[in-house]
Amino acid sequence: MTESSLKYRDRVDRRLQRETAEPSVGRRRRHRLDPGCGDPRRDPRARPGLTRGTDGRSIPRSAHRTQAAHPEAVVNARGLGLMTAIEFDTKQRREDVIDAALQRGLLTLGCGHTTLRLLPPLDVRERELDIAVDLLDDAIEDVAADATPSRAD
């Protein structure tokens, strides 16, 4: 065998010994390019944007504020982290809010008969969360204002 092939074989043997050795307790092997290994709770890049926008608003908290502002339209608002659901009084009102949000450039999904679902990706930026909350608030406000009967006295 040549000298270079012996060096290569020694490197392979050392690497196999390292890989078959007992891993240290509590130490998690990571790839150098993926600090969280796909786990958003451990990934330092995902932590700041998980639930809050740049002004400190969380998406579920904003949904509860929307419910308080429009109790005639919004029956229930619930959420955990980025997953948020807003339940409306009728299916037609939910469809109107979905259309109004889409006209503003916000894509939302219906869930069940009267519920609107928001589920942004985990890598969403804080500024994008703020924009989405503002667009949804405007859409709900417009739909609730159109449905409010005007009195002509």
Side-chain angles (χ1 to χ4, degrees):
M1 294 183 122
T2 65
E3 185 177 337
S4 62
S5 63
L6 286 174
K7 286 182 184 179
Y8 176 75
R9 189 171 181 186
D10 287 340
R11 280 191 308 189
V12 170
D13 286 341
R14 278 185 269 139
R15 185 172 186 177
L16 285 174
Q17 287 174 354
R18 273 185 289 163
E19 289 178 358
T20 57
E22 291 279 331
S24 61
V25 177
R27 186 169 179 207
R28 187 173 167 191
R29 291 189 65 159
R30 296 188 194 188
H31 189 273
R32 67 179 177 84
L33 297 177
D34 187 11
C37 292
D39 186 2
R41 294 170 298 173
R42 290 179 172 253
D43 190 348
R45 296 170 298 178
R47 278 189 210 139
L50 275 179
T51 59
R52 299 192 184 283
T54 54
D55 59 356
R57 298 183 298 182
S58 70
I59 294 179
R61 190 174 303 146
S62 296
H64 287 295
R65 252 183 284 175
T66 302
Q67 179 184 3
H70 304 289
E72 71 284 350
V74 179
V75 175
N76 186 12
R78 57 192 177 271
L80 178 66
L82 288 176
M83 297 184 296
T84 305
I86 300 172
E87 187 175 350
F88 293 93
D89 57 346
T90 63
K91 184 175 184 176
Q92 183 59 43
R93 192 176 305 240
R94 180 199 65 179
E95 294 299 324
D96 292 343
V97 170
I98 289 174
D99 291 340
L102 188 59
Q103 288 174 356
R104 289 166 171 75
L106 180 65
L107 182 62
T108 58
L109 298 171
C111 177
H113 292 289
T114 59
T115 305
L116 179 84
R117 177 178 52 185
L118 296 171
L119 187 58
L122 288 177
D123 63 347
V124 67
R125 297 187 178 173
E126 295 173 3
R127 180 68 183 133
E128 294 168 343
L129 288 176
D130 291 338
I131 292 169
V133 167
D134 291 339
L135 290 174
L136 185 63
D137 286 344
D138 290 344
I140 292 172
E141 195 171 302
D142 285 351
V143 170
D146 291 344
T148 306
S150 59
R151 293 187 179 184
D153 291 323

